[in-house]
Amino acid sequence: MTDDLTPDIHPLLLCGGSGTRLWPLSRKSYPKQFARLTGAESLFQASARRLSGPGFTAPMAITGSDFRFIVTEQLAAVEIAPAAILIEPEGRNTAPAILAAALALEARAPGALMLVAPADHVIPDAAQFRDVVQAAAPAAEAGRIVTFGIRPDRAETGYGWLELSEAPDADFAPTPQVLKGFVEKPDAATAQAMLEGGQHLWNAGIFLFSTTTLIAAFETHAPEMLAGTRAAVEGAERDLGFTRLAPEPWAALDDISIDYAVMEKSDNLTVMPYGGAWSDLGGWDAVWRDSGPDAAGVVTSGPSTALDCENTLLRAESDAQALVGIGLSDVIAVAMPDAVLVAHKDRAQEVKQAVAALKAKGAPQAETLPRDYRPWGWYESLVVGERFQVKRIHVTPGAALSLQSHHHRSEHWIVVEGTAKVTVDDEVRLVTENQSVYIPLGAVHRMENPGKVPMVLIEVQTGTYLGEDDIIRYEDVYART
């Protein structure tokens, strides 16, 4: 509880999405919420920090199994200990995810206030946003479901809108408003009319409610989903520091958003206007807009250079790759080590069509980054040949790979940063910078980082088959099989 006896607010971060609109930076294997798009922290880290402080408990998070260690690593990097991390067996949209978290929270804190927020939004003024959330708490305590509406500054067709019974105050004071209705993503003319009318706000997809209120809404409007989600929560299993929801009842749930499942059917919704800056970074045009273009409308990131350009975003993600634009106007150019996007800024929302086309061709770039994140760190392939592969492997301090062997390949490790503790069959030794070790085919081996700084090594694999599934695990601190 806070000092003035107002109830604590329990944040829930939704971080299981795998959006494609920021391809090639955001991919299914590493979606945008974990990327550093507009600052030194990832969107997920910034969201967790924004929802921390007086009046807020440690955040909960719900995500997919593939991202569970990324979540813990990124929270640890900003020194935030989560209250719980729920693992979805598979993606089922926001309705089951939010309901599962509400049921889990209700079990340990009946009637608690829960704030639901996507983990990929940008809200620069964190203090202002927290104040507005606190101002909405009395309405949530009184049994209202509060949705937050954003002051629109353009006729945006990519967002849903909220229709109010009357226009907010001119200064956008945090005063709850009566919701008249939801408006789906409009056409340009409708969006312009709503912008000029002053009685519509953008739908941010952020909600505040008591757990008992939300559960009651599902009992009224989606009882089958409530029963199935409750079974998934009651059958959940602990896995290291995670809570894995039971897969069988979860698989039977509808894939549906919280808006369609209950919000648009409920009669106890209230809108809290928010007049500060906000963006969901829903496309590269939004990244350009929210990155502070210079006087010519140019944004550069990484080793990129703009010459005589205007209204253009140039973003290079590799220090070994220079990106230069000359005489460009209204262009988005994003260079990754394995893929490059060049598009007219007005067509940035069509990037997902490019991803679909690449996926149809079987191109790995459609969904997978060249850097593969694991619970112990990450690796990336530098060179791939028919019977050899060269990787860079980055192991975080205190982390260890599994004790393993391979049927089809041998490995040669060269430490280039830090110190590795290496096990090869019965021998254990330390390998420091500029030293190397050979792992024969079939040898049982492991690498660990016993130090306080990251350990980096170059791995050269040779053999008849180099796939990641050629691993026999004997021991693993992350409970992988």
Side-chain angles (χ1 to χ4, degrees):
M1 300 288 286
T2 53
D3 290 340
D4 59 2
L5 300 183
T6 57
D8 284 332
I9 293 171
H10 301 254
L12 170 67
L13 292 169
L14 303 174
C15 47
S18 55
T20 59
R21 289 182 293 175
L22 290 179
W23 184 89
L25 179 64
S26 172
R27 307 190 199 180
K28 184 178 181 180
S29 69
Y30 199 77
K32 70 172 182 175
Q33 60 263 30
F34 302 118
R36 294 175 177 85
L37 276 161
T38 59
E41 296 178 338
S42 72
L43 300 179
F44 170 66
Q45 289 172 315
S47 296
R49 192 187 294 279
R50 179 167 60 250
L51 301 181
S52 299
F56 292 81
T57 68
M60 301 170 62
I62 184 162
T63 189
S65 182
D66 290 346
F67 309 134
R68 65 195 189 281
F69 292 110
I70 299 174
V71 167
T72 55
E73 180 186 352
Q74 291 205 354
L75 287 176
V78 293
E79 300 181 340
I80 293 176
I85 299 176
L86 305 182
I87 306 299
E88 298 177 279
E90 54 187 295
R92 276 291 180 265
N93 215 314
T94 56
I98 293 170
L99 177 57
L103 289 167
L105 180 56
E106 172 77 1
R108 60 183 173 87
L113 295 188
M114 189 167 86
L115 176 70
V116 177
D120 57 359
H121 289 183
V122 173
I123 303 177
D125 194 335
Q128 179 187 7
F129 180 73
R130 286 193 296 268
D131 288 345
V132 171
V133 171
Q134 293 283 9
E141 278 194 284
R144 307 294 294 178
I145 296 175
V146 181
T147 181
F148 292 79
I150 307 300
R151 184 209 303 254
D153 59 13
R154 62 186 183 279
E156 178 61 59
T157 59
Y159 300 151
W161 293 60
L162 303 170
E163 182 179 4
L164 307 182
S165 296
E166 59 184 57
D169 295 341
D171 58 357
F172 255 67
T175 304
Q177 303 281 338
V178 176
L179 174 68
K180 187 174 181 181
F182 291 88
V183 180
E184 294 298 318
K185 294 178 181 179
D187 58 30
T190 302
Q192 186 62 39
M194 290 190 295
L195 178 66
E196 294 172 356
Q199 288 189 209
H200 290 81
L201 306 177
W202 291 338
N203 184 359
I206 303 173
F207 303 98
L208 178 69
F209 44 74
S210 75
T211 51
T212 51
T213 296
L214 186 78
I215 293 168
F218 273 91
E219 192 159 12
T220 300
H221 304 294
E224 291 184 357
M225 177 166 287
L226 175 59
T229 306
R230 180 173 275 129
V233 172
E234 291 176 350
E237 295 182 353
R238 294 291 293 172
D239 176 7
L240 299 177
F242 310 104
T243 300
R244 287 186 176 274
L245 300 170
E248 187 172 344
W250 191 263
L253 297 175
D254 288 339
D255 186 328
I256 188 171
S257 73
I258 190 77
D259 284 10
Y260 288 136
V262 296
M263 296 303 177
E264 295 185 4
K265 302 172 184 176
S266 298
D267 59 3
N268 59 336
L269 263 70
T270 291
V271 180
M272 175 59 81
Y274 180 68
W278 170 91
S279 175
D280 72 343
L281 291 186
W284 284 114
D285 51 337
V287 175
W288 167 80
R289 184 169 49 247
D290 293 314
S291 296
D294 65 16
V298 172
V299 172
T300 59
S301 178
S304 58
T305 302
L307 302 176
D308 193 27
C309 296
E310 61 180 6
N311 299 326
T312 289
L313 170 68
L314 300 178
R315 186 181 183 106
E317 291 296 323
S318 171
D319 291 338
Q321 184 180 42
L323 175 63
V324 179
I326 302 175
L328 301 178
S329 179
D330 297 312
V331 166
I332 301 290
V334 182
M336 298 286 290
D338 64 333
V340 177
L341 168 71
V342 181
H344 192 283
K345 185 158 60 65
D346 293 344
R347 302 185 65 177
Q349 294 296 323
E350 298 177 36
V351 169
K352 56 186 177 182
Q353 299 175 23
V355 175
L358 288 172
K359 189 175 179 181
K361 291 180 179 180
Q365 292 92 336
E367 296 184 334
T368 306
L369 280 173
R371 179 172 292 184
D372 195 322
Y373 288 85
R374 297 299 173 96
W376 42 260
W378 53 264
Y379 73 83
E380 59 186 352
S381 295
L382 303 178
V383 181
V384 180
E386 185 175 343
R387 292 176 60 92
F388 75 93
Q389 181 171 202
V390 181
K391 289 182 177 179
R392 174 166 55 183
I393 299 178
H394 181 284
V395 184
T396 55
L401 280 68
S402 60
L403 186 67
Q404 59 185 256
S405 65
H406 310 293
H407 284 306
H408 302 288
R409 70 175 185 256
S410 60
E411 297 172 343
H412 191 180
W413 297 342
I414 305 99
V415 176
V416 294
E417 292 182 28
T419 298
K421 181 182 178 182
V422 175
T423 299
V424 182
D425 290 329
D426 295 329
E427 181 185 3
V428 180
R429 63 189 177 99
L430 295 179
V431 182
T432 58
E433 292 180 10
N434 298 319
Q435 294 181 334
S436 62
V437 62
Y438 176 66
I439 314 297
L441 185 150
V444 177
H445 61 280
R446 166 184 277 161
M447 73 172 78
E448 306 172 56
N449 181 358
K452 302 295 185 183
V453 297
M455 185 268 288
V456 180
L457 60 81
I458 301 299
E459 177 182 85
V460 180
Q461 302 176 355
T462 56
T464 57
Y465 179 73
L466 306 175
E468 285 301 309
D469 54 350
D470 179 24
I471 295 178
I472 303 170
R473 287 194 174 97
Y474 303 96
E475 295 176 9
D476 184 60
V477 296
Y478 310 107
R480 297 171 296 170
T481 58

